[in-house]
Amino acid sequence: MQQAAPEITLTAQPDDPLPIGKAALLGLQHVLAMDVYIVPFIIASVLAFSVGDAGAFIQSAFVAAGVATLIQSQLLMRLPVVQGPSFVPIGAVLAIAFGAGGGIGGLSAVIGALIPGAILVMLLGSPTGIFHRLVNRFVPPIVGGAIIIVVGVALMPVALKESVFAVHGSATVGGNIILAFVAALFLVGCMLTGMAMGAKGAWLRLLSVIIALVAGCVAAAFMGQLDMSAVSAATWFSMPRIAFLNLDVTFSFSAMLTMLIVYIVVLAETTGTWFAVGAVIDKPLSDEQLDRGATGEGLGCLISALLCSTPVTGYSSNAGIIAITGIASRAAFAAAGIFLVLFGLVGKLSAVIASIPGPVIGGVFGVLCVVIAMNGFRVVRGTPLTERNMLVIGLPILMALFATLAPPDFVKTLPDLVQYILG
């Protein structure tokens, strides 16, 4: 992909080293801005897992995300990306689990369906070199830029609808909006102040997301919306389940075929994230990176399945954090991977993240979506806006908004494959 001249000031490139303390702070910031616990929490709730089973399932998601992040950022793709559970497979996971009897027993069939697909995704990359050919054939520069725009625009309604406008417990929509506004205000304020201060304000950009999350949590505490009881109830240390060792695995051809289709959609999802990161750091993705990335994606998903978790994907929000902090060093992403593993092994740490109110994360996430979308516009603006190109860029945005805003009751009436694509 050919990209425009850099307009985001990066103070650290992907291969630049960082002091350990600085890398740790940045890595923690990337993890805190993620919602790793939401996917396993939803699945565990719908399948009515016991408290112990639900806790182990959430742990597995954190550990798998951490290991997959280290694989992609340090070993295979070597791009500043963070991996986490994808939302795309939720419907398929629930359908397969219920078809196998539901509960923790149903998870056995899910894991059996995930393993073969992950291996096939691995083979699409470096071993065969098929993946980069598919991308080069179907994703020219204008399409790549449109994908980045779509990632940002499509996630904006999600940040608002799922995190800000969704009411839980004693919360109110008005209170949620206030919390999201406080978090977003502090994030934008830190960004602009840090930029205005130049080199002296680097620390503000560095800690902007953490400052915004802390400010939002303080506001939530004053409003009676911060519940930290889960932290005291959580255990200090425990191990996640391991497939074949702590959980029997069963294989079903129809379930494997369903998950293979889901993997294709997940791979398309994560490719959009790679393009977003490439736009932020102003470095086109090479054919070798694309192939290694597909292999890394498959390997991460395979390890996730063996840890009794669901498929992982690159998180777009972290591209926004790179743009805000100006630091793309992979050292920070190594720290993020280590933190994710620690959060999965130390129950109290993961409970702290799970206790951050949704509206606070939504306020931060919304600003990150804006940053991502604008990077997409920056990529495509060098393309002549002929009538054809306007449709190439504009129609995917319309389709993304349709997929995001379509009434859930209508979506549920559609065939499973169509639901996966809309996801």
Side-chain angles (χ1 to χ4, degrees):
M1 260 180 79
Q2 297 298 317
Q3 297 168 335
E7 295 174 344
I8 293 175
T9 304
L10 291 181
T11 57
Q13 295 292 332
D15 293 327
D16 290 347
L18 289 178
I20 293 178
K22 191 173 184 179
L25 276 175
L26 281 163
L28 179 62
Q29 190 163 243
H30 279 285
V31 173
L32 290 177
M34 299 170 70
D35 48 10
V36 173
Y37 64 93
I38 291 182
V39 171
F41 180 80
I42 291 172
I43 294 173
S45 299
V46 175
L47 293 178
F49 284 2
S50 67
V51 175
D53 288 337
F57 192 53
I58 294 173
Q59 276 186 272
S60 294
F62 273 99
V63 176
V67 173
T69 296
L70 292 171
I71 288 172
Q72 282 291 55
S73 65
Q74 309 302 311
L75 299 176
L76 286 175
M77 197 170 199
R78 297 179 65 81
L79 197 70
V81 292
V82 177
Q83 301 287 103
S86 171
F87 284 75
V88 172
I90 290 178
V93 167
L94 293 176
I96 292 171
F98 278 123
I104 195 67
L107 193 61
S108 301
V110 173
I111 302 306
L114 289 172
I115 291 174
I119 294 173
L120 286 176
V121 172
M122 290 173 58
L123 295 177
L124 280 177
S126 296
T128 62
I130 292 175
F131 184 69
H132 84 265
R133 294 187 179 91
L134 293 175
V135 173
N136 291 338
R137 174 67 180 84
F138 296 107
V139 191
I142 188 173
V143 174
I147 288 174
I148 299 169
I149 296 172
V150 164
V151 168
V153 171
L155 289 177
M156 290 179 193
V158 175
L160 296 173
K161 185 170 63 175
E162 303 297 335
S163 297
V164 180
F165 298 147
V167 176
H168 303 286
S170 60
T172 63
V173 173
N176 286 358
I177 292 174
I178 291 173
L179 291 180
F181 179 77
V182 169
L185 181 65
F186 269 84
L187 178 57
V188 173
C190 288
M191 289 169 57
L192 295 179
T193 304
M195 293 174 190
M197 293 173 62
K200 292 182 179 179
W203 66 274
L204 265 179
R205 291 181 67 188
L206 180 71
L207 299 176
S208 55
V209 173
I210 289 180
I211 292 172
L213 291 172
V214 170
C217 287
V218 171
F222 277 108
M223 296 170 61
Q225 298 299 318
L226 184 64
D227 182 10
M228 302 295 287
S229 59
V231 179
S232 58
T235 58
W236 275 106
F237 179 82
S238 57
M239 292 291 293
R241 280 194 177 88
I242 298 177
F244 300 104
L245 184 62
N246 306 118
L247 182 75
D248 292 332
V249 178
T250 58
F251 296 92
S252 162
F253 179 77
S254 60
M256 288 187 288
L257 182 60
T258 298
M259 276 301 175
L260 181 60
I261 296 171
V262 171
Y263 271 123
I264 294 172
V265 181
V266 171
L267 195 54
E269 175 189 26
T270 203
T271 302
T273 296
W274 298 341
F275 281 144
V277 172
V280 170
I281 65 175
D282 194 50
K283 288 189 177 180
L285 301 178
S286 67
D287 290 347
E288 182 183 6
Q289 271 186 310
L290 288 169
D291 286 338
R292 289 167 67 92
T295 298
E297 184 84 356
L299 180 57
C301 289
L302 176 62
I303 291 174
S304 183
L306 294 176
L307 289 171
C308 301
S309 188
T310 54
V312 292
T313 187
Y315 270 36
S316 303
S317 57
N318 302 97
I321 295 178
I322 293 173
I324 289 171
T325 62
I327 296 180
S329 172
R330 291 185 298 108
F333 291 82
I338 292 171
F339 272 121
L340 284 166
V341 173
L342 288 176
F343 287 151
L345 299 178
V346 181
K348 289 190 181 296
L349 292 179
S350 58
V352 169
I353 292 184
S355 298
I356 299 176
V360 174
I361 293 180
V364 171
F365 190 37
V367 176
L368 299 181
C369 291
V370 171
V371 174
I372 293 168
M374 295 313 298
N375 271 287
F377 283 111
R378 186 167 58 86
V379 170
V380 302
R381 76 178 185 186
T383 302
L385 286 182
T386 62
E387 291 183 357
R388 172 186 177 276
N389 287 346
M390 283 192 290
L391 290 176
V392 170
I393 297 169
L395 287 179
I397 297 175
L398 176 62
M399 293 166 64
L401 290 175
F402 170 82
T404 304
L405 301 176
D409 292 340
F410 167 72
V411 174
K412 290 177 182 177
T413 65
L414 302 174
D416 288 344
L417 177 59
V418 178
Q419 292 187 43
Y420 302 148
I421 293 173
L422 289 176

